[in-house]
Amino acid sequence: MSGKTINHIKGMPDLLPSKKDAKTAEDKAQSSDKIPATILWQFVEQHIRNLVQEYAYDEIRTPILEDTNLFKRSVGEVTDIVEKEMYTFTRGEQSLSLRPEGTASCVRACIEHSLIRNGQQQRLWYIGPMFRAEEPQQGRYRQFYQLGVELFGVEGSEADAEQIIMMHELWRRLNISQFIKLEINSLGTVAERAEYKTKLIAYFAAHIDSLDEDSKRRLNTNPLRILDSKNPKLQELIAKAPTLLEHLGDESVAHFNKFKSILDSVGIAYTVNTKIVRGLDYYSRTVYEWVTDELGSQSAVCAGGRYDSLVGQLGGADTPAVGFAMGIERLLLLVEKVNNVNKSLDAYFITQGDDANGQKIALANKIRTNCKNIKMQVHFGGGNFKKQFKKADASGAKLALIMGDDELQNNTVSIKFLREEKPQVTVSMTELVNYIGG
Ligand code: HAM
């Protein structure tokens, strides 16, 4: 057996307790050095959990692996995700795929378990890894985490607006509002889009020689996606193309106007960007993206919209729905610019003298019994008193708790304040609780 080490798969980074400096060129290329530490994940996830609860959403957890047909029928056969980016394999007779996103699984589960029977409203959220075989770079990974939020059973755009307000509040709580802007659009209904598609095909067909290979292929399968092209040579042609917004029916216009008026009424700024078509096929009416200039080309931090036809399309009763998903890594890259989150230990426990050293674990246990929830690290590995103090200081703990043979005999603990100019004190075990977490 060779002792060669095995590394993580490209684009599927480990999330580490502290941020690692890139040591090798390979590290840099894989961007795993750029991922913020797990302590920042916990900080952000706590904010997310609080917020979704405040807005009455319940958590759903679905498997990471699904029948490939689920994504073909929801995200769409002629999309980058399904055509190029899914991790798909066959097991027995069945084709399985690692989920590239969460909406499809969420809808499947709702239909399968009758969570949205008879137009019943349902508010669900999920967080977890998604998989897309894209070229990794800063903010873009092959395994990445999404927070997803989905609301079923409400047709009116007050639901769309409430989700925007909720995200806006999250940016505020995380101090990152200054980095994020909102762009919105409406894709109309399926029928309106079909009519528009005909006009768009005619427009691009008249300029067929200017199209690149990708766009030519999309012309008759998914012409709206041409609008999404990043090819600089196509930008002028795209800018002059007819817009879907000009082809909406009265109800779709009213839906969009109501949405905008609610955002106005709560003072949330937005721009209408008629080029937002989204890379997934299930959308209708409202679509939007929260974008940033801080992350290079990976500008979308959070994106979503309405998908009123998807439940019916996947075999459920017609149910309007609206939702969004946020890339947690991208969010964290913004959060770490302004939030300094440190490991917050209450105490570091050290002992001195043969008796106390010998009983270290039992003594630490006594402290934990007296001070419920104390966040305390016990010193392991011996060393003289000075060395133990150094470790206590480096741990980031607020207090060093010391037990020598005197303390052991008197049932007391000595407290050294590591972050404040205060003289050391010796207190009884029961008094100790007053110094913790304060
Ligand atoms: P999406 O736009 O494909 O939408 O992804 C949502 C977010 O996931 C993106 O805005 C981005 O922040 C993040 N993301 C996507 N791909 C990657 C990647 N390779 N690496 C890192 N982050 C990434 C959806 O997935 C829809 N299911 C959203 C939705 C929910 N619509 C309605 N409900």
Side-chain angles (χ1 to χ4, degrees):
M1 282 281 265
S2 109
K4 199 167 181 291
T5 56
I6 299 171
N7 291 342
H8 71 275
I9 297 167
K10 183 178 168 191
M12 301 197 179
D14 296 310
L15 309 176
L16 304 174
S18 56
K19 198 164 166 166
K20 167 172 150 283
D21 288 327
K23 286 201 196 79
T24 61
E26 197 183 346
D27 258 354
K28 274 198 182 114
Q30 297 201 5
S31 303
S32 54
D33 57 300
K34 300 263 172 50
I35 307 260
T38 44
I39 189 156
L40 202 64
W41 285 73
Q42 290 168 3
F43 169 78
V44 165
E45 283 171 10
Q46 195 52 51
H47 274 288
I48 287 173
R49 278 170 212 282
N50 292 345
L51 190 73
V52 289
Q53 270 172 25
E54 288 168 32
Y55 281 77
Y57 283 89
D58 294 322
E59 187 179 4
I60 183 165
R61 300 189 190 194
T62 59
I64 283 168
L65 213 51
E66 297 273 3
D67 187 323
T68 304
N69 285 320
L70 175 66
F71 303 115
K72 286 191 177 166
R73 280 175 54 189
S74 52
V75 175
E77 299 241 23
V78 194
T79 55
D80 281 353
I81 294 179
V82 169
E83 278 182 328
K84 305 184 206 161
E85 295 168 1
M86 285 210 297
Y87 287 90
T88 299
F89 60 95
T90 310
R91 181 96 197 160
E93 298 283 284
Q94 201 174 15
S95 173
L96 304 172
S97 294
L98 287 174
R99 61 182 184 193
E101 60 105 51
T103 309
S105 307
C106 191
V107 171
R108 177 202 49 72
C110 281
I111 299 170
E112 187 172 338
H113 305 292
S114 302
L115 300 185
I116 44 176
R117 202 172 20 204
N118 306 326
Q120 179 190 346
Q121 286 185 24
Q122 193 63 251
R123 306 164 83 97
L124 299 170
W125 70 277
Y126 49 86
I127 196 163
M130 307 292 160
F131 302 85
R132 296 184 194 176
E134 298 183 84
E135 203 41 52
Q137 53 173 251
Q138 189 198 16
R140 191 168 72 193
Y141 313 96
R142 292 181 169 175
Q143 171 171 321
F144 59 97
Y145 282 71
Q146 274 188 349
L147 158 75
V149 171
E150 317 285 359
L151 195 161
F152 297 92
V154 180
E155 204 168 352
S157 47
E158 65 267 28
D160 317 26
E162 192 195 52
Q163 290 184 340
I164 297 278
I165 292 168
M166 181 170 141
M167 280 307 92
H168 187 259
E169 175 60 14
L170 184 65
W171 315 146
R172 194 191 65 74
R173 290 184 191 185
L174 295 174
N175 295 319
I176 55 170
S177 306
Q178 71 276 23
F179 299 136
I180 306 184
K181 287 175 300 195
L182 175 63
E183 297 189 351
I184 61 173
N185 192 19
S186 174
L187 298 182
T189 62
V190 175
E192 285 156 5
R193 219 162 41 244
E195 206 186 307
Y196 169 68
K197 265 186 195 173
T198 319
K199 292 200 175 140
L200 202 60
I201 290 170
Y203 170 78
F204 282 123
H207 298 87
I208 188 96
D209 293 340
S210 318
L211 295 182
D212 57 17
E213 284 312 309
D214 238 13
S215 306
K216 277 185 192 153
R217 201 170 45 81
R218 292 211 153 110
L219 187 56
N220 290 305
T221 48
N222 201 347
L224 258 73
R225 296 281 290 140
I226 302 177
L227 300 176
D228 223 13
S229 166
K230 301 279 180 292
N231 184 348
K233 291 191 190 131
L234 293 185
Q235 295 314 307
E236 204 186 321
L237 189 63
I238 290 171
K240 290 185 184 146
T243 73
L244 180 49
L245 220 44
E246 297 154 359
H247 292 81
L248 298 186
D250 290 348
E251 276 186 42
S252 288
V253 170
H255 196 273
F256 195 46
N257 286 343
K258 173 88 186 292
F259 174 59
K260 289 188 290 182
S261 78
I262 301 175
L263 298 186
D264 292 337
S265 72
V266 292
I268 294 182
Y270 56 83
T271 46
V272 175
N273 177 354
T274 56
K275 300 292 173 283
I276 295 182
V277 294
R278 310 282 297 119
L280 308 95
D281 278 356
Y282 47 64
Y283 290 104
S284 52
R285 293 199 165 146
T286 316
V287 285
Y288 58 85
E289 291 181 356
W290 292 94
V291 293
T292 181
D293 293 330
E294 304 283 322
L295 301 179
S297 58
Q298 302 314 308
S299 60
V301 178
C302 175
R306 190 160 269 286
Y307 49 98
D308 292 341
S309 310
L310 183 60
V311 179
Q313 216 171 292
L314 290 179
D318 283 342
T319 309
V322 59
F324 65 83
M326 176 193 306
I328 306 284
E329 290 83 353
R330 292 184 192 175
L331 178 69
L332 285 165
L333 290 168
L334 297 181
V335 170
E336 76 171 349
K337 287 181 191 287
V338 282
N339 293 279
N340 195 5
V341 180
N342 293 314
K343 187 163 146 188
S344 64
L345 274 183
D346 295 320
Y348 191 93
F349 182 56
I350 59 190
T351 51
Q352 194 181 26
D354 289 344
D355 287 349
N357 286 342
Q359 296 180 44
K360 185 182 267 175
I361 293 298
L363 293 172
N365 203 33
K366 208 165 168 184
I367 292 177
R368 292 190 196 280
T369 313
N370 270 288
C371 307
K372 294 265 177 283
N373 304 326
I374 184 172
K375 285 185 252 164
M376 180 173 78
Q377 180 174 342
V378 175
H379 177 82
F380 287 131
N384 62 27
F385 207 48
K386 201 170 152 208
K387 183 180 159 202
Q388 294 195 47
F389 262 127
K390 255 188 151 161
K391 292 269 184 196
D393 203 31
S395 76
K398 290 196 263 310
L399 309 175
L401 301 184
I402 309 144
M403 286 188 80
D405 292 343
D406 279 354
E407 285 88 350
L408 182 60
Q409 235 164 38
N410 302 328
N411 203 23
T412 54
V413 187
S414 290
I415 304 174
K416 187 171 165 57
F417 299 89
L418 296 172
R419 317 283 154 213
E420 287 171 282
E421 294 287 330
K422 273 203 230 171
Q424 183 167 322
V425 290
T426 301
V427 299
S428 72
M429 272 285 174
T430 43
E431 266 180 297
L432 177 60
V433 72
N434 301 327
Y435 292 85
I436 303 301

